[in-house]
């Protein structure tokens, strides 16, 4: 019986360490857990490019940018294959639509220059 209690105590201790570690990580890196693309845009850590992909303006958002771009690339590849055009062309068309629909204050990059919409 005491071995079961020890095992339970160890599990509880591990859970506490994990919870505390996650809390510290969340406080130290607020952008690492951003809930949405809109939050990343609003914080300025991610901006939109004329290629149809996002760019991490802060290194803390690079993983999120990579994930968003992978999702977009999959969509662009499907559209390109269906229409018989290049993925780059699809991305540029989407970029224009994104530029038109993002809220004011969103960072956009045109010809390598950043500007707020």
């Amino acid at each position: 019986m005491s071995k079961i209690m020890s095992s339970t105590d160890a599990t509880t201790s591990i859970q506490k360490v994990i919870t505390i570690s996650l809390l510290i990580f969340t406080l130290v890196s607020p952008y690492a857990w951003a809930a949405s693309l809109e939050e990343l845009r609003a914080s300025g850590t991610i901006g939109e490019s004329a290629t149809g992909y996002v760019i991490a303006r802060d290194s803390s958002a690079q993983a999120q940018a990579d994930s968003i771009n992978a999702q977009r690339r999959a969509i662009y590849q499907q559209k390109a294959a269906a229409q018989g055009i290049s993925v780059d062309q699809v991305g540029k068309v989407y970029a224009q639509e994104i530029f038109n629909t993002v809220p004011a204050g969103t960072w956009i990059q045109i010809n390598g220059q950043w500007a707020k919409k």
Side-chain angles (χ1 to χ4, degrees):
M1 184 77 170
S2 64
K3 288 184 180 183
I4 293 174
M5 295 294 277
S6 296
S7 176
T8 302
D9 290 342
T11 301
T12 302
S13 294
I14 291 170
Q15 288 173 338
K16 287 180 182 177
V17 168
I18 291 171
T19 301
I20 291 169
S21 297
L22 288 174
L23 179 61
I24 290 170
F25 180 74
T26 301
L27 294 174
V28 171
S29 182
Y31 302 117
W33 293 96
S36 69
L37 174 58
E38 288 78 19
E39 288 177 347
L40 292 166
R41 284 181 184 147
S43 71
T45 58
I46 280 186
E48 294 289 345
S49 74
T51 62
Y53 297 100
V54 296
I55 298 173
R57 293 176 33 85
D58 184 294
S59 61
S60 68
Q62 189 60 55
Q64 289 90 342
D66 292 343
S67 176
I68 293 163
N69 287 336
Q71 293 171 10
R72 287 186 180 183
R73 190 173 304 107
I75 293 168
Y76 298 169
Q77 287 171 336
Q78 289 175 340
K79 297 292 184 183
Q83 297 176 13
I85 60 175
S86 75
V87 174
D88 290 342
Q89 287 174 306
V90 173
K92 288 177 184 177
V93 169
Y94 271 78
Q96 287 304 310
E97 185 61 29
I98 291 167
F99 285 179
N100 291 337
T101 59
V102 292
T106 300
W107 286 98
I108 58 174
Q109 188 182 67
I110 301 172
N111 298 325
Q113 300 297 313
W114 286 107
K116 280 192 174 183
K117 175 179 175 187

